[in-house]
C-alpha cells in the first residue's frame, strides 16, 4: 500500500519539506498559509500567487506522490469538502459499504489507525518546544476551546492549574473574550482547540492574541484550522471515525502526554501545589475517605 494514501496534502508537504528545493519550499509555505483554498486555483494562478514557476508547481505535486497537479488539486477539493461536512454528511459517508463487523471493532480500528497516523506526523522537537513553553513559569497560559472541544480545554486547564500558577480558562461565551485579552501580555501562551467545522471566534481570538505578542499552541485536526497560520506550534490529530461525530481520543492522548511532560519539568512547583491542594481537600472534606 502506498504510504501516502491516507495522508492529507498538508501532511505530505510537512513530511517532504526538508527535501524540497528553495522554490518548492516557497510554494509549500504559500499553500500551507491558506490551506487548502490556496491550492484550488489553476496551476498558473497557484504559481503566480506563490511567486514560483508553473514547472515548480507540477514538480512538487509529483514529489508529493501525485501523478500531477490536477490529481493533487482533486485531493485538496476532497479535503475541503471534508472540513465543512456536517454530522449527517459524515454519517452518510461512513454508512456507505459498511463492513460486516461490530461497531466496536470498526471504531477501535479507526481510533488505532488515527493514533498511528498522528504519531507519525508529530515532530518530537515541536512536542518538546510546546512542553518548554508551558513549563515556563514566567509565561501566563490562557486556554480556550470551541463548541465541542471546550471539554478538552477544561480538562487541560484543570491539570495545568494544579501544576502551576498563571493559568486561565477562557469562558466559552466569545462576547466576553475582550476582557480576557486585557490580561494577555507579550510572551504569554494561548492554548486553543479547534477542529472541523472551524470556528470563526477562535480565529479572531488567535489574531488578537498574536497582535499582543502572545504565542499560540493549537490543537487541531489533520486538515488544520485556519488559525494554524498564526500558531507557533500546531498539533494535528486525526479525528475521523465511523460516526456522525469526530473523535477526540487521539487529541486527549496528546494532551495527557503533554501534561505528563510538563509535570516532570515542573515537579518541584507541582509537588508543592499538589500537597497544598490535598490539604484543602481534607479541610473541605471534598472526597470520602474509607479509612
Amino acid at each position: 500500500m502506498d504510504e501516502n494514501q491516507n495522508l492529507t496534502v498538508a501532511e505530505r508537504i510537512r513530511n517532504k519539506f526538508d527535501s524540497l528545493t528553495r522554490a518548492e519550499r516557497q510554494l509549500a509555505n504559500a499553500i500551507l498559509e491558506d490551506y487548502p483554498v490556496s491550492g484550488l486555483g489553476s496551476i498558473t494562478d497557484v504559481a503566480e500567487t506563490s511567486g514560483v514557476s508553473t514547472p515548480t508547481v507540477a514538480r512538487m505535486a509529483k514529489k508529493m506522490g501525485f501523478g500531477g497537479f490536477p490529481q493533487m488539486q482533486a485531493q485538496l477539493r476532497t479535503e475541503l469538502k471534508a472540513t465543512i461536512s456536517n454530522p449527517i454528511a459524515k454519517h452518510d459517508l461512513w454508512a456507505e459499504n459498511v463492513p460486516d463487523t461490530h461497531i466496536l471493532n470498526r471504531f477501535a480500528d479507526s481510533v488505532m489507525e488515527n493514533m498511528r497516523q498522528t504519531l507519525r506526523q508529530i515532530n518530537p522537537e515541536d512536542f518538546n518546544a510546546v512542553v518548554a513553553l508551558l513549563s515556563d513559569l514566567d509565561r501566563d497560559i490562557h486556554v480556550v476551546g470551541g463548541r465541542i472541544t471546550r471539554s478538552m480545554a477544561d480538562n487541560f486547564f484543570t491539570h495545568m492549574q494544579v501544576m502551576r500558577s498563571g493559568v486561565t480558562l477562557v469562558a466559552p461565551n466569545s462576547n466576553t473574550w475582550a476582557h480576557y485579552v486585557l490580561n494577555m501580555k507579550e510572551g504569554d501562551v494561548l492554548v486553543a482547540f479547534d477542529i472541523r467545522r472551524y470556528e470563526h471566534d477562535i480565529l479572531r481570538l488567535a489574531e488578537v492574541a498574536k497582535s499582543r505578542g502572545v504565542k499560540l499552541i493549537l490543537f487541531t485536526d489533520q486538515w488544520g484550522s485556519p488559525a494554524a497560520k498564526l500558531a507557533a506550534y500546531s498539533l494535528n490529530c486525526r479525528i475521523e471515525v465511523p460516526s456522525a461525530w469526530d473523535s477526540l481520543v487521539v487529541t486527549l492522548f496528546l494532551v495527557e502526554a503533554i501534561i505528563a511532560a510538563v509535570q516532570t519539568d515542573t515537579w518541584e512547583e507541582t509537588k508543592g501545589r499538589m500537597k497544598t491542594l490535598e490539604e484543602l481537600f481534607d479541610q473541605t472534606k471534598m472526597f470520602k475517605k474509607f479509612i
Side-chain angles (χ1 to χ4, degrees):
M1 179 184 293
D2 181 358
E3 63 179 8
N4 288 323
Q5 183 176 343
N6 295 320
L7 299 183
T8 66
V9 174
E11 288 171 333
R12 297 186 193 209
I13 289 174
R14 286 190 284 265
N15 283 349
K16 298 283 188 180
F17 194 84
D18 290 343
S19 66
L20 300 179
T21 65
R22 182 195 61 77
E24 289 166 349
R25 290 187 183 191
Q26 183 174 321
L27 170 61
N29 285 328
I31 291 175
L32 294 175
E33 178 70 19
D34 190 22
Y35 184 86
V37 177
S38 52
L40 296 181
S42 69
I43 188 170
T44 302
D45 289 339
V46 172
E48 289 180 353
T49 302
S50 307
V52 300
S53 66
T54 52
T56 297
V57 179
R59 186 170 60 248
M60 195 183 81
K62 290 189 175 182
K63 280 190 176 182
M64 296 303 108
F66 296 104
F69 178 72
Q71 187 181 19
M72 185 176 84
Q73 194 172 70
Q75 172 68 22
L76 288 171
R77 290 196 181 98
T78 299
E79 291 179 26
L80 179 60
K81 182 179 179 181
T83 62
I84 61 176
S85 294
N86 61 41
I88 295 174
K90 281 182 276 188
H91 173 271
D92 291 346
L93 177 63
W94 280 105
E96 295 177 4
N97 302 315
V98 175
D100 187 22
T101 55
H102 196 280
I103 181 61
L104 277 172
N105 295 329
R106 285 187 278 125
F107 203 95
D109 287 344
S110 294
V111 168
M112 288 187 286
E113 181 59 23
N114 285 346
M115 182 73 76
R116 284 190 288 267
Q117 291 277 18
T118 299
L119 288 174
R120 291 190 193 107
Q121 298 297 313
I122 295 296
N123 184 332
E125 292 181 0
D126 287 349
F127 181 94
N128 293 341
V130 166
V131 171
L133 280 175
L134 297 173
S135 301
D136 186 346
L137 301 181
D138 291 330
R139 302 176 188 270
D140 286 347
I141 298 171
H142 312 266
V143 186
V144 67
R147 185 177 72 92
I148 298 297
T149 55
R150 73 179 61 158
S151 60
M152 195 68 60
D154 185 68
N155 178 294
F156 183 81
F157 162 77
T158 299
H159 287 86
M160 290 299 301
Q161 195 268 342
V162 170
M163 294 189 289
R164 50 159 295 167
S165 60
V167 185
T168 299
L169 179 63
V170 178
N173 191 350
S174 62
N175 62 19
T176 67
W177 286 359
H179 298 266
Y180 290 91
V181 173
L182 273 176
N183 292 326
M184 294 182 185
K185 59 186 184 297
E186 185 173 358
D188 281 358
V189 178
L190 173 63
V191 178
F193 295 81
D194 192 30
I195 64 171
R196 71 171 178 185
R197 297 173 281 175
Y198 312 115
E199 300 185 33
H200 295 298
D201 290 339
I202 297 289
L203 176 59
R204 285 197 290 268
L205 178 60
E207 290 170 342
V208 174
K210 185 170 183 179
S211 73
R212 296 175 68 87
V214 175
K215 293 183 178 294
L216 173 64
I217 296 173
L218 177 69
F219 288 85
T220 186
D221 52 36
Q222 60 259 46
W223 305 286
S225 159
K229 62 186 178 184
L230 304 170
Y233 298 99
S234 183
L235 301 168
N236 299 75
C237 302
R238 289 265 168 168
I239 63 170
E240 286 193 299
V241 287
S243 168
W245 305 100
D246 290 321
S247 169
L248 290 173
V249 172
V250 180
T251 308
L252 179 59
F253 160 80
L254 195 55
V255 163
E256 292 190 342
I258 287 172
I259 288 170
V262 172
Q263 174 189 275
T264 299
D265 284 1
T266 63
W267 179 240
E268 289 307 313
E269 170 84 2
T270 297
K271 182 179 179 181
R273 290 175 66 85
M274 282 183 169
K275 182 178 179 181
T276 301
L277 186 61
E278 289 300 318
E279 292 170 353
L280 291 170
F281 286 155
D282 288 343
Q283 290 175 24
T284 59
K285 295 181 170 56
M286 182 173 181
F287 296 113
K288 181 177 178 62
K289 292 194 173 181
F290 294 94
I291 56 173

